[in-house]
Amino acid sequence: MSTVAQILKSKSVNQPVRTLPPEATVRQAVELMAEHRIGALLVAEGERIVGIFTERDYARKIEVRGRSSTATRLAEVMTPDVLHVGPTTTTQECMALMTDKRLRHLPVLDGGQVVGMVSIGDLVKEIISEQQFMIAQLESYIRS
């Protein structure tokens, strides 16, 4: 069973987790997310995480409600209670948490420091890889 640390290590691009301060506008957040092709970013005051902002937050809290992305601050629409995992958390534990809480992104903290972010896509990719390996091993065993 893989861990979050292994997933982060195997990601093709080891890009830093993007952050903005709570006073940044939603427009700034959406532009940053589009520029880096990411679906979520952390809202931080210095080193302290105070929230997370996702594409889902934009769709539900800005677009559907007719709010202005240039006039709305992240602090007004971010999700303040950020669930996170550690590097030793397994893919199965992440999937269970994400399924239960209906999340698509999980920050990874190690000793209080952000070391990465895993998405549901990262987890699905890893689980498929694990299953393909297991199938190959079983096929090899059956043939011998």
Side-chain angles (χ1 to χ4, degrees), residues 21-73:
E23 56 276 353
T25 66
V26 168
R27 175 70 183 213
Q28 290 172 304
V30 171
E31 287 174 349
L32 184 64
M33 290 163 52
E35 177 185 346
H36 295 286
R37 301 186 66 198
I38 56 175
L41 56 80
L42 294 177
V43 182
E45 290 178 330
E47 296 291 316
R48 189 172 69 90
I49 297 171
V50 296
I52 187 168
F53 181 77
T54 68
E55 293 168 323
R56 193 181 278 178
D57 290 324
Y58 176 78
R60 294 179 180 177
K61 299 173 184 175
I62 300 296
E63 188 61 31
V64 170
R65 295 182 182 169
R67 295 177 79 169
S68 166
S69 63
T70 55
T72 306
R73 304 283 173 222

Side-chain angles (χ1 to χ4, degrees), residues 62-110:
I62 300 296
E63 188 61 31
V64 170
R65 295 182 182 169
R67 295 177 79 169
S68 166
S69 63
T70 55
T72 306
R73 304 283 173 222
L74 286 177
E76 300 171 53
V77 293
M78 69 184 185
T79 301
D81 300 321
V82 183
L83 296 176
H84 63 276
V85 294
T88 60
T89 306
T90 66
T91 54
Q92 302 297 347
E93 291 169 322
C94 287
M95 286 295 283
L97 178 62
M98 292 173 104
T99 300
D100 183 51
K101 301 297 183 183
R102 301 182 55 82
L103 305 172
R104 293 182 183 181
H105 301 88
L106 279 173
V108 182
L109 275 63
D110 189 8

